Structure formats: structure tokens, C-alpha cells
Amino acid sequence: MTVTSVDKDVDRLTLTVVADFTAPVERVWKLWADPRLLERWWGPPNYPATFEEHDLTPGGGVTYYMTGPEGEKYGGWWRVSSVTPPTGLEFTDGFSGPDGKPNPEMPTTSVRLTLTRHDGGTRMELRSAFDTREQMEQLAEMGMVEGMTQAIGQMDALLAG
């Protein structure tokens, strides 16, 4: 497993996942920058993602949905605030309804991706910040930590190929 630590800081309302890869920073970045590669690891193994829009520029947007084992679809979106290829990306992450529009009843998180050279490979830090403790707990109960860990665990096979 590539995930080396998961830090849930309830006082700071953050969840930070750190993963180490043997691949160079540029190869890890490509897994975020190429929507066809992103589809192959974003989401838990039984919930493959389909990216419909993928604009990694400040102010750009990303829309996707994950398809569950029974064919059910779960939509999501990102609003990109900052991009520094190949080492950083910041975006707001949220859920969308069946119509593809943001679901205002679901929480959003502010996400910061940082890629750094580490031990001849790459360290990826993915930090999610929540607005409230309730939102943090809600997403944890929905399996966010397990889902992220499983999704990131799929990156090694892509980097090896």
C-alpha cells in the first residue's frame, strides 16, 4: 500500500493523506492531469470514475461520476483555484445531484495536493479541509477515509505500467 499516513485533525478540521511512490513527480502528476488516467484510480476499486469535464486551470472545473457495482451513479465536481504543474493543485470538491449540478445539501471540502521529491521518488500529500466538524464527521461516516485510501492504492499499478 502506498499510503504511509492518514491524519484526521478534528481541531483543525483537516484530513491529510500521505502516500509515497517510487515514480518521479512528473509521472505522479500525470495521473491527475490526464483524465483517462485519473479515471483508472479516482474512487474505490468497485466504483470506477468517468470524467466528463477536466479543466485544470485556475477557475476551471472538473465533473465526473462514479458508477457503483449495481449501476448506481454518484456525481462529483471540482472547482480549481490553483495549479502549479507538476507539484501542486488546489480545488474545492463537492457532490452533484442526478442532474449533474452541485448538490447544496452535501458538504464541500477544500483540497490541496502537493507532490515533492522524496527518497528517489515522490511524496504525495492530499489535504482536505472541512467547514465544520459536522461536515467532517458526515463525510467520514460515508467512508471518505477508506475510499481515499483504496483509490490512492490503485495508483501504484498505473505508475508501474
Side-chain angles (χ1 to χ4, degrees):
M1 182 65 70
T2 56
V3 173
T4 56
S5 72
V6 176
D7 178 33
K8 184 177 174 184
D9 188 333
V10 178
D11 294 328
R12 289 196 171 105
L13 300 177
T14 59
L15 172 67
T16 304
V17 178
V18 175
D20 291 324
F21 303 98
T22 57
V25 167
E26 295 77 13
R27 290 216 25 234
V28 178
W29 171 256
K30 191 170 180 161
L31 296 186
W32 288 87
D34 181 335
R36 302 297 72 93
L37 292 174
L38 188 58
E39 286 177 336
R40 295 178 59 194
W41 70 268
W42 185 260
N46 294 333
Y47 290 80
T50 301
F51 283 79
E52 300 175 303
E53 179 185 358
H54 186 266
D55 179 5
L56 293 188
T57 59
V62 172
T63 58
Y64 67 92
Y65 61 89
M66 293 184 290
T67 304
E70 304 297 321
E72 64 278 26
K73 293 186 178 181
Y74 304 95
W77 57 268
W78 301 349
R79 188 162 300 112
V80 179
S81 52
S82 171
V83 184
T84 319
T87 59
L89 174 64
E90 294 184 28
F91 57 94
T92 302
D93 183 19
F95 294 86
S96 57
D99 59 1
K101 294 185 174 151
N103 181 346
E105 296 177 17
M106 292 296 292
T108 60
T109 56
S110 297
V111 179
R112 184 181 70 215
L113 164 71
T114 307
L115 300 175
T116 55
R117 293 184 196 334
H118 179 75
D119 285 345
T122 301
R123 171 158 284 174
M124 181 177 82
E125 180 178 299
L126 196 57
R127 180 184 167 274
S128 300
F130 305 85
D131 291 333
T132 66
R133 186 173 291 195
E134 292 76 25
Q135 288 178 348
M136 186 177 193
E137 290 171 2
Q138 178 184 2
L139 291 174
E141 287 173 14
M142 290 172 64
M144 180 180 182
V145 175
E146 296 83 1
M148 285 178 64
T149 302
Q150 290 175 357
I152 292 168
Q154 299 175 104
M155 294 173 79
D156 270 331
L158 295 171
L159 293 167

